[in-house]
Amino acid sequence: MVDADYHLDGNHLSNRNLDSAVELADVSKYGASGSGSSSSSSHTHEIQEPFAGAHNAKKYKVEWHEAEHGVLNDPLISDITGWLKHKKQSTKSEWARYSWLDIIGIFFPIVNWGRKYNIKRNLLTDLIAGISVGAMVVPQGMSYAKLAGLPNVYGLYGAFVPVMIYAALGSSPQLAVGPVAVTSLLLGSGLKDTITSAVQADPNNPTDPAAQMEYNMAAIQVALLAGSLYTAVGLLKLGWITNFLSHSVICGFMTGASVIIALSQVKYIFGYSQYVIPATKTVKAQTVTFPRHDPIHEQLRDLLGHQWRPYFHWREFIMGGTFIVILIAMKHIGRRWPKYLGFFRAIGPITVAVLGIAITNIWHLECPTSDKNKVCAHTIRVVGVIPKGLPHATVSWWNPPGGIPRVGKKFSYAIIICLIDLLESISIAKALALKNRYEIRPTQELRGLGVANLFGAAFNCYTTTGSFSRSAIMDASGAKSQVAGITSAIVVMFVLLFLTPVFKNMPQNVQGAIVIAAVIGLFNYSEWFFLWKVNKFDWIVFNAAWLGTGFPHLAVLGRLPGTTVYRNVNQYPEAEGVDGMLLVRIDSPIYFANVAPIRNALMKFQKRAEIQLSARARKLLYIVVDLSPVTDIDASAVHFLMEWVRNLKANNIQPVFANPCRQVVRLFEAASLPKIIGEEFISVRIHDAVTYCQELMAEGQDAYTRIEVISEGKETAEDHRREAHKLAGQTYIGPPV
């Protein structure tokens, strides 16, 4: 026997293969019968030595397999094998050109640009840009945190930890990451629906610290979910999904959101934020809090209504109005003369913050928010104490005892925030790359933002993304790399460690002025004219989006006497309600931006109807929703409607949908909503739905005690109709009138 492995024609042959080779050689030489006959098959060769047999072993073995199976001669298999070999060889040669630092740099771009960084040429401009952005984000971040319903210090945390992580992982040299207005608005509007406690009017000085802690934990959990989605989209290279978000819809949403954000801050300019009515001999001191609304018309009603006029404070109004003028003027000067006075845009927020603090301290105008019993009629409401020090770890908040409550709601908000932030960040990064003539890697950009949010969620930060205004400042200041971002984070860290007591007496009207001046740029009136000229349909979509965001309208309906017509009871006082039912009409498309106000309005109407019916010893059994004006809904709206239906049915109230359009019905069917609500409770007309519910009530039955009995093969006409629709693949929409 020949020794184990030996080299032959560039291949290794084990001793087992060698034995097989010798065996094949013997068969070839003496014939299959083993009789020693000299006759052989067509494959017979004279092999005198074992090494000769081994030399041809592979050839004989392959030919034997070809004859036995006939697979390896298939051209398709040969082509695939050849392609795989070529791909393997080309990949090896391609990776061979990279050093181990280059390979690390693929996942950590800071390694690549850090090795090539030109200190003499770029360091000074990066430091100036970083200091400018840091000075801007300190007061701005605190203002955005309050807009989100979080303590001011959370805005500083968000401008520190995620910025440091993105600097190492992001591919855009000029993108400024941190808290932004739109994300803060989405959190402030929707996060209250994911917690069981009441939302605190002043998150910096809450009346119920436990309730504020629950809210803070919910914000961190949403940041965790959004960061996970970001990272997953980046790893799976799914950035193309943003192509399905219409440009006109996004622009319309941003425009509507800018109006809502600006109006939500006017209360601080008017001095309406929160004041205390002094105690008397018979009445205890009461805290008066300005209500928070999302619909524009409700905000205007409270801002201009007679109820809050006695609490108007001219000092706050003059102070806040002046700060808005200063901010807008400095922004305009910076844009008008960018070469010499471009830094004016960056120092605007810190300028008004310093002025506000100085005025408050010099004239002792501060009203301590921690003193709930102090009358603040002649003073300025200030921010209050801001915790000193770096953020603490909040990994334990990711999964508190009992699990993450209401994870479904939080996940839906995380999806919305992720999509908006993704579109915002990528569009900013691409615009900066085009202007400065370099390329970004969208996949790496998404991974960087995702990991930055994950680290932020681990250290007390709510969701962060790229900022329009701060990125523009960073670019205008001459930033060449993320050294500018690291510098801005160091500025914020310095403030957290040493300067938070300075901001204790910063007026709240300063925060309102900073937010109003920042979101004015989001009001995209130029796009309105552009779409009107280019595409009328997109113009209509733009208007529907921004009006649906700012003015989501719902109406309670009643039936006009002697008719089958249902109208708004506010416009037609003679319209009559239906006993045991609430009739509501939604007057706009339902999508992620207006889900929260629509939910709040439905809850308000339901509560009012229950109070009115209980006064007559009656119960609310049906809520009929007229969907005729709803031309479209998105996934967030479907999630909301499914959850709303389940909650009502759990409380023994049957929801009914009337007159949905074809597009809405398709989405309902895709989400299996007809099975949840009951196919018989989706009707073509609102009168059909009302009549059907009245018939059930007349029979002394409701949706939960009604039992359909089909005995001895005798089926009702309704059963036949339901079965016919099922066989036709259609949704059963209820019985005819």
Side-chain angles (χ1 to χ4, degrees):
M1 181 68 66
V2 181
D3 290 339
D5 292 337
Y6 62 94
H7 188 268
L8 184 63
D9 283 350
N11 295 305
H12 289 283
L13 194 64
S14 66
N15 62 345
R16 191 180 73 172
N17 292 336
L18 180 58
D19 292 338
S20 301
V22 174
E23 183 179 349
L24 284 170
D26 292 339
V27 170
S28 300
K29 182 175 181 180
Y30 298 110
S33 62
S35 61
S37 172
S38 61
S39 63
S40 63
S41 67
S42 61
H43 294 302
T44 303
H45 294 276
E46 291 294 326
I47 304 177
Q48 303 297 333
E49 298 177 3
F51 278 91
H55 181 74
N56 293 284
K58 284 191 174 181
K59 175 181 176 182
Y60 286 113
K61 195 170 184 178
V62 168
E63 288 179 353
W64 183 81
H65 277 289
E66 289 175 353
E68 184 73 14
H69 302 286
V71 175
L72 296 180
N73 282 333
D74 191 333
L76 179 61
I77 299 297
S78 301
D79 290 343
I80 293 175
T81 305
W83 180 83
L84 289 173
K85 289 181 179 179
H86 173 73
K87 193 70 177 176
K88 180 179 179 181
Q89 188 171 357
S90 62
T91 302
K92 282 184 177 180
S93 60
E94 185 176 350
W95 279 94
R97 298 200 304 265
Y98 294 100
S99 66
W100 63 274
L101 284 175
D102 293 327
I103 296 173
I104 295 175
I106 294 175
F107 303 99
F108 297 90
I110 191 173
V111 176
N112 283 337
W113 61 259
R115 289 184 294 160
K116 304 172 185 177
Y117 187 74
N118 191 322
I119 296 178
K120 292 183 179 179
R121 181 183 300 177
N122 299 331
L123 182 60
L124 181 60
T125 55
D126 281 343
L127 290 177
I128 293 174
I131 294 172
S132 300
V133 172
M136 183 179 188
V137 76
V138 168
Q140 197 177 68
M142 290 192 290
S143 303
Y144 289 160
K146 189 168 186 179
L147 178 63
L150 296 166
N152 287 324
V153 73
Y154 276 61
L156 299 179
Y157 295 156
F160 171 52
V161 177
V163 175
M164 298 292 282
I165 301 301
Y166 177 81
L169 299 174
S171 62
S172 175
Q174 287 95 16
L175 185 68
V177 174
V180 296
V182 175
T183 299
S184 302
L185 172 67
L186 291 173
L187 281 175
S189 300
L191 205 59
K192 58 188 176 183
D193 298 321
T194 68
I195 62 175
T196 57
S197 304
V199 177
Q200 301 300 293
D202 186 357
N204 298 295
N205 304 279
T207 55
D208 186 354
Q212 185 61 47
M213 178 59 69
E214 182 185 0
Y215 188 95
N216 298 346
M217 293 175 68
I220 299 302
Q221 290 159 10
V222 171
L224 169 66
L225 294 172
S228 301
L229 289 171
Y230 250 131
T231 307
V233 169
L235 292 175
L236 299 176
K237 299 183 179 180
L238 298 177
W240 50 267
I241 62 176
T242 57
N243 296 332
F244 293 96
L245 294 175
S246 169
H247 174 72
S248 54
V249 170
I250 295 300
C251 289
F253 164 70
M254 291 291 189
T255 300
S258 67
V259 178
I260 293 174
I261 294 170
L263 286 178
S264 70
Q265 302 301 301
V266 173
K267 61 185 179 182
Y268 300 116
I269 307 301
F270 285 0
Y272 288 167
S273 56
Q274 180 177 338
Y275 286 95
V276 178
I277 298 177
T280 63
K281 294 181 179 180
T282 58
V283 181
K284 294 182 179 180
Q286 296 180 350
T287 300
V288 179
T289 302
F290 190 86
R292 176 166 185 161
H293 300 296
D294 286 332
I296 292 174
H297 60 281
E298 293 186 12
Q299 292 195 44
L300 291 174
R301 180 193 63 199
D302 286 329
L303 287 170
L304 305 178
H306 66 279
Q307 180 181 359
W308 282 88
R309 287 176 189 168
Y311 300 100
F312 177 82
H313 288 262
W314 63 269
R315 292 179 179 84
E316 300 246 26
F317 178 74
I318 293 176
M319 200 172 182
T322 303
F323 289 153
I324 292 175
V325 173
I326 291 174
L327 287 166
I328 295 175
M330 295 184 73
K331 185 186 295 186
H332 176 73
I333 291 171
R335 287 177 177 172
R336 182 68 177 83
W337 296 283
K339 187 175 181 180
Y340 302 104
L341 300 175
F343 65 93
F344 266 47
R345 294 176 64 189
I347 65 172
I350 197 66
T351 299
V352 297
V354 171
L355 285 174
I357 293 170
I359 292 171
T360 304
N361 288 333
I362 292 173
W363 281 279
H364 302 289
L365 298 176
E366 69 275 8
C367 175
T369 54
S370 58
D371 189 353
K372 300 300 179 183
N373 296 318
K374 183 178 175 87
V375 180
C376 296
H378 305 290
T379 54
I380 301 295
R381 183 64 68 163
V382 296
V383 169
V385 177
I386 299 175
K388 188 177 181 180
L390 299 178
H392 61 274
T394 51
V395 176
S396 60
W397 292 9
W398 291 1
N399 187 20
I404 299 178
R406 301 192 179 187
V407 67
K409 284 187 175 181
K410 292 173 184 174
F411 192 71
S412 63
Y413 281 113
I415 293 174
I416 296 170
I417 290 171
C418 180
L419 288 174
I420 296 298
D421 287 357
L422 185 152
L423 196 70
E424 186 175 357
S425 292
I426 296 299
S427 61
I428 298 170
K430 286 183 176 179
L432 293 172
L434 182 64
K435 178 183 177 183
N436 293 281
R437 299 182 180 180
Y438 61 82
E439 292 184 2
I440 64 166
R441 294 160 50 201
T443 300
Q444 182 61 37
E445 198 66 16
L446 295 174
R447 285 198 297 258
L449 289 167
V451 176
N453 275 284
L454 290 176
F455 270 83
F459 291 98
N460 231 344
C461 307
Y462 74 99
T463 313
T464 55
T465 188
S467 165
F468 281 111
S469 58
R470 295 193 298 273
S471 297
I473 294 299
M474 187 176 284
D475 179 57
S477 301
K480 302 299 181 184
S481 71
Q482 279 297 325
V483 169
I486 296 172
T487 304
S488 70
I490 292 174
V491 170
V492 175
M493 181 183 70
F494 184 81
V495 171
L496 283 168
L497 291 174
F498 305 107
L499 297 182
T500 52
V502 175
F503 292 92
K504 175 183 176 182
N505 288 336
M506 183 172 74
Q508 292 185 4
N509 57 54
V510 168
Q511 293 184 303
I514 290 172
V515 174
I516 291 172
V519 300
I520 285 176
L522 295 178
F523 191 86
N524 203 345
Y525 62 89
S526 60
E527 188 71 15
W528 190 90
F529 291 105
F530 175 79
L531 291 175
W532 172 257
K533 294 178 182 178
V534 174
N535 191 312
K536 297 296 189 295
F537 178 76
D538 281 347
W539 180 82
I540 294 173
V541 172
F542 176 91
N543 284 292
W546 95 263
L547 291 174
T549 302
F551 299 93
H553 184 260
L554 283 78
V556 175
L557 304 180
R559 181 164 56 188
L560 297 179
T563 70
T564 60
V565 179
Y566 295 80
R567 289 291 183 265
N568 187 340
V569 295
N570 291 330
Q571 298 175 352
Y572 294 84
E574 67 274 18
E576 301 171 346
V578 182
D579 199 25
M581 282 185 258
L582 169 64
L583 312 180
V584 181
R585 186 183 66 224
I586 301 176
D587 290 330
S588 68
I590 312 174
Y591 68 114
F592 64 89
N594 64 7
V595 161
I598 288 175
R599 178 193 292 112
N600 295 337
L602 286 173
M603 292 174 61
K604 181 177 71 175
F605 292 155
Q606 176 187 342
K607 185 176 181 180
R608 187 169 64 189
E610 289 174 339
I611 293 174
Q612 292 173 350
L613 288 171
S614 64
R616 305 199 308 268
R618 296 284 295 171
K619 290 179 61 178
L620 179 63
L621 298 177
Y622 299 93
I623 297 181
V624 182
V625 181
D626 181 10
L627 297 176
S628 54
V630 180
T631 57
D632 196 12
I633 61 176
D634 67 0
S636 301
V638 173
H639 276 295
F640 151 63
L641 291 174
M642 293 174 68
E643 182 183 359
W644 180 71
V645 167
R646 290 192 181 100
N647 289 339
L648 288 180
K649 290 172 79 74
N651 292 312
N652 291 340
I653 300 174
Q654 174 63 48
V656 183
F657 291 136
N659 199 14
C661 69
R662 187 183 299 271
Q663 173 67 14
V664 172
V665 170
R666 285 200 195 100
L667 289 172
F668 281 178
E669 292 176 337
S672 299
L673 188 57
K675 295 180 181 178
I676 299 174
I677 192 175
E679 293 181 351
E680 64 271 28
F681 293 109
I682 300 179
S683 180
V684 173
R685 296 189 306 162
I686 186 170
H687 185 65
D688 298 349
V690 171
T691 303
Y692 183 57
C693 295
Q694 284 179 324
E695 290 176 356
L696 295 178
M697 289 190 292
E699 296 172 2
Q701 301 171 344
D702 58 38
Y704 302 94
T705 61
R706 180 169 57 91
I707 302 175
E708 296 184 10
V709 180
I710 302 174
S711 60
E712 299 179 358
K714 297 180 180 179
E715 298 178 337
T716 64
E718 185 180 343
D719 298 316
H720 283 295
R721 286 193 295 269
R722 184 182 293 105
E723 186 66 20
H725 280 77
K726 185 183 295 184
L727 292 174
Q730 300 174 350
T731 300
Y732 179 60
I733 56 175
V737 181

